[in-house]
Amino acid sequence: MKNVLMAVGTLLVQQAHAAELQQSREATPEQPNIVFILADDMGYGDLACYGNKYIRTPNIDRLAATGTSFTQAYAGSGISSPSRCSLMTGKNSGNTRIRDNQCYAGGMTGLKIQTNGDTTIVRRANLLPEDVTLGNVVGAGGYRTCLVNKWHLDGYDPGAAPNHRGFDEFYGWTISTVHSNAPYYYPYYRLHGDSLINIRENEHDAHVRHNTEISTDDAIAFIHRNKDNRFFLFLGYDAPHEPYNIDDTSWYDEQGEWSMNTKRYAALVSHMDYNIGRLLGTLDALGLRDNTLVIFASDNGAAVMAPLKELNCGAGLKGRKGQLYEGGIRVPLIVNQPGRVPARQIDNLVYFADFMPTLASLAGSTDAVPADTDGMDVSPLFFGRDIDTDSRPLYWEFPGKQRAIRFDGWKCVTVKKNAPLELYRIKEDPAEEHNLAADHPDVVKRLDEMMHSLRTPSPNYPIDDE
């Protein structure tokens, strides 16, 4: 009888411990699920909540209207791979592993598919096992982590996919599996972890399942599987990256004066918005919305093929994707969590390197953040508290080609190799129309020296003045 009582007592203790463990895994308002949604090549001015008068984005607009939107948020770079590398590793593009879409030395070579279907051989760098990612850091807080769709940090190394760089699950495409991202928006091949699977509906180039829908389905399935566990979902849409390939343009068919290119671009954004609505509806249906922080941003500015003038994609900012002018790196950023994130618009300076310490703070895993991060924890801004984010320098570069810094109200930038540095009072002149370099040579000299101090040499990107 004594042994039975002891066994029952042990079982009760185990059950209590299991219940406690289960409770510790569940999201709370203070330690929420995290859903990070990243658009691809979407301009600062593409959303109605950022002033667009043409493109319909009601779901994203509601996130902004009921949450906090940032007017001076910056991507990690002006193009995809270095921008995402900054986001994933918490470093500026003068310190990241990947500093351009292609590297100048080392790395690995492989095939790049052009928009016309041709292929060329290029050299790329990739994240290495020692590189700590958002997946590693948030996962250290007891979160189940998943990356859906676009990663762009594997170079040509299949062993550098998200599921080998800190994420528990991965559904999407990689650079190293060339045919997994072709055709771009109606793929037949897709990776589930390391397994290459087929989207049967798109066989023989059929346009049945659009990749934005496929990615949203993968994201929703992950949420269902983890509704009782804290999760971190990174959903990297392709939209509205070129080629502008979508068959359903019904949002804009009445726009007779628009070109088909313009209609398809706008439709890619609205179609993404519709699918974001599906994802938010899932969170609502499962009772997870109050315990989930949703973040929306774009990886850089609109591309040169985008209808920049017709739709005002850049909101009047100078430059575009691939440049370190404002139009290439200033991006929309919206944060939303019912009951916690206030409805407001703020102009604090934030950029992609901030997300590693910020998400670590939310996840309770700050000890997992490397000491050499270039970002700061900006989570107080999410919850209505004001902190100083403007007194530190923000730095970007394309090694040996372009560089830029924001500091003390100034922006110093050049977008051509060996071209003179330009200087702007950026808050008063966000369109970078009035170059003040000749009037303030001392400021240019000081910011030039700061830029050199904010970067480190890289074997993949050797430049002449190192």
Side-chain angles (χ1 to χ4, degrees):
M1 185 65 175
K2 182 179 180 181
N3 289 340
V4 171
L5 290 174
M6 289 178 63
V8 170
T10 301
L11 180 61
L12 290 173
V13 169
Q14 291 174 341
Q15 289 175 337
H17 178 68
E20 181 181 356
L21 185 61
Q22 178 63 29
Q23 186 178 16
S24 71
R25 290 177 179 169
E26 292 177 354
T28 65
E30 293 73 28
Q31 195 171 19
N33 302 313
I34 302 168
V35 176
F36 198 119
I37 304 170
L38 191 67
D40 195 349
D41 288 6
M42 193 186 75
Y44 181 79
D46 276 338
L47 303 173
C49 52
Y50 278 80
N52 194 282
K53 300 182 184 306
Y54 308 100
I55 303 177
R56 299 165 191 166
T57 52
N59 293 296
I60 300 172
D61 295 340
R62 274 192 293 273
L63 287 176
T66 59
T68 294
S69 56
F70 292 77
T71 62
Q72 294 194 92
Y74 288 91
S77 181
I79 55 175
S80 184
S81 289
S83 185
R84 292 162 193 266
C85 193
S86 175
L87 176 61
M88 282 290 161
T89 64
K91 298 180 181 179
N92 71 47
S93 52
N95 292 317
T96 48
R97 180 76 60 190
I98 301 171
R99 306 184 185 190
D100 204 338
N101 273 1
Q102 299 174 29
C103 63
Y104 312 159
M108 299 175 68
T109 58
L111 291 176
K112 174 179 173 62
I113 299 179
Q114 307 294 341
T115 55
N116 63 2
D118 293 342
T119 59
T120 55
I121 296 177
V122 300
R123 182 180 298 276
R124 296 181 187 266
N126 58 267
L127 287 186
L128 300 180
E130 60 264 34
D131 293 318
V132 178
T133 69
L134 283 180
N136 296 121
V137 168
V138 180
Y143 284 66
R144 182 74 178 175
T145 60
C146 177
L147 189 139
V148 172
N149 200 50
K150 185 170 181 176
W151 171 239
H152 229 241
L153 301 176
D154 57 294
Y156 292 107
D157 181 3
N163 51 311
H164 298 285
R165 296 294 182 268
F167 286 88
D168 298 314
E169 300 181 36
F170 166 56
Y171 308 93
W173 60 273
T174 61
I175 298 169
S176 55
T177 308
V178 176
H179 52 296
S180 71
N181 66 322
Y184 201 72
Y185 280 111
Y186 295 94
Y188 176 61
Y189 296 99
R190 192 166 179 84
L191 288 167
H192 284 189
D194 293 329
S195 299
L196 194 63
I197 62 106
N198 299 131
I199 308 298
R200 294 293 180 187
E201 298 91 330
N202 291 342
E203 194 170 9
H204 305 305
D205 293 331
H207 286 195
V208 176
R209 294 188 69 198
H210 195 275
N211 196 45
T212 297
E213 297 166 359
I214 296 168
S215 300
T216 306
D217 290 344
D218 288 337
I220 288 173
F222 172 78
I223 291 172
H224 275 283
R225 290 194 304 272
N226 291 277
K227 63 182 183 297
D228 297 323
N229 305 302
R230 288 196 302 277
F231 61 79
F232 170 41
L233 168 65
F234 188 95
L235 174 53
Y237 284 119
D238 291 331
H241 192 289
E242 60 191 39
Y244 305 134
N245 195 351
I246 183 169
D247 293 344
D248 181 8
T249 59
S250 57
W251 293 274
Y252 306 103
D253 285 345
E254 78 281 3
Q255 300 291 344
E257 72 281 7
W258 287 13
S259 69
M260 186 53 68
N261 183 72
T262 299
K263 289 181 181 179
R264 286 175 176 156
Y265 181 90
L268 283 168
V269 176
S270 292
H271 184 235
M272 175 177 61
D273 178 85
Y274 168 79
N275 279 277
I276 289 172
R278 290 178 54 212
L279 187 145
L280 295 174
T282 298
L283 294 173
D284 286 332
L286 295 175
L288 300 176
R289 190 65 186 88
D290 289 350
N291 292 347
T292 302
L293 179 77
V294 177
I295 302 169
F296 177 86
S298 177
D299 69 338
N300 47 248
V304 67
M305 288 182 65
L308 295 167
K309 292 183 179 179
E310 296 92 329
L311 300 184
N312 196 28
C313 301
L317 299 176
K318 186 176 182 178
R320 51 169 172 75
K321 174 186 177 179
Q323 296 180 325
L324 297 182
Y325 288 130
E326 294 292 284
I329 56 176
R330 192 184 292 206
V331 294
L333 173 63
I334 301 165
V335 179
N336 187 290
Q337 185 185 352
R340 292 207 73 209
V341 175
R344 63 175 184 159
Q345 187 179 80
I346 58 177
D347 63 358
N348 293 75
L349 283 181
V350 296
Y351 76 143
F352 275 12
D354 293 331
F355 279 107
M356 177 169 279
T358 298
L359 299 192
S361 176
L362 296 170
S365 54
T366 55
D367 290 345
V369 177
D372 60 352
T373 180
D374 292 313
M376 66 178 289
D377 175 13
V378 299
S379 62
L381 295 175
F382 295 177
F383 307 116
R385 300 189 296 277
D386 291 322
I387 58 173
D388 175 20
T389 62
D390 295 6
S391 61
R392 41 75 184 256
L394 307 186
Y395 175 71
W396 303 264
E397 71 171 43
F398 290 109
K401 301 175 182 177
Q402 302 184 42
R403 55 199 177 111
I405 186 173
R406 273 210 61 169
F407 180 67
D408 195 26
W410 297 101
K411 182 178 178 186
C412 193
V413 58
T414 181
V415 299
K416 293 181 181 179
K417 185 176 182 179
N418 299 324
L421 289 166
E422 302 166 24
L423 184 69
Y424 302 97
R425 285 304 282 181
I426 200 65
K427 273 196 174 183
E428 296 84 0
D429 183 22
E432 294 166 297
E433 295 178 317
H434 307 291
N435 181 7
L436 303 175
D439 299 328
H440 300 278
D442 55 328
V443 176
V444 173
K445 183 176 184 294
R446 177 166 62 101
L447 294 178
D448 185 19
E449 292 171 350
M450 288 184 70
M451 284 193 277
H452 284 286
S453 72
L454 290 168
R455 71 177 310 275
T456 53
S458 165
N460 295 123
Y461 303 91
I463 59 177
D464 296 338
D465 60 349
E466 289 179 340

